Amino acid sequence: QVQLVESGGGLVQPGGSLRLSCAASGRIFSIYTMGWYRQAPGKQRELVARITSGGTTTYADSVKGRFTIFRDNAKNTVYLQMNSLKFEDTAVYYCNKDPYPVAWGQGTQVTVSS
């Protein structure tokens, strides 16, 4: 059973950057497609970026060109580099398998505010 722990969130000004990390347990992490999701207050959770086991990435239009997802299979970790942050990026960010998500972690709060 894969367990997920997200970290790296915080308070940042518009235009700033953050790097989120997601540490996953499990010896077969490398075979999974992983995604970063976010949930803003009052909104549904949405997938913002995903990366396949082979490193192919896709992004939601809202973050394309600003966010980069990458992974280090040796460390069982997937990252989300977020640049040029906007107010509307404020949310709790989660990682999980995509598809067939496992139990969700606690997420990490990202707040973009001046």
Side-chain angles (χ1 to χ4, degrees):
Q1 180 73 4
V2 176
Q3 293 182 316
L4 305 162
V5 178
E6 301 92 348
S7 62
L11 175 64
V12 63
Q13 292 185 338
S17 298
L18 284 173
R19 177 176 292 184
L20 307 183
S21 300
C22 170
S25 64
R27 291 178 294 174
I28 56 174
F29 165 82
S30 63
I31 72 171
Y32 297 135
T33 292
M34 296 295 295
W36 277 100
Y37 302 74
R38 68 185 181 188
Q39 187 167 21
K43 295 188 176 181
Q44 289 190 333
R45 188 174 290 161
E46 62 172 341
L47 177 66
V48 297
R50 66 195 295 271
I51 184 168
T52 69
S53 59
T56 300
T57 58
T58 53
Y59 299 92
D61 287 343
S62 58
V63 306
K64 200 171 294 183
R66 301 188 297 119
F67 290 10
T68 302
I69 186 172
F70 58 102
R71 66 194 298 165
D72 184 340
N73 289 333
K75 295 182 178 180
N76 274 15
T77 301
V78 61
Y79 303 92
L80 186 68
Q81 177 67 42
M82 305 187 296
N83 299 328
S84 302
L85 283 161
K86 304 176 179 180
F87 294 118
E88 53 263 42
D89 294 319
T90 295
V92 180
Y93 284 72
Y94 304 86
C95 69
N96 214 318
K97 294 170 56 200
D98 177 61
Y100 311 121
V102 297
W104 294 90
Q106 83 287 352
T108 187
Q109 175 71 48
V110 172
T111 302
V112 184
S113 175
S114 55

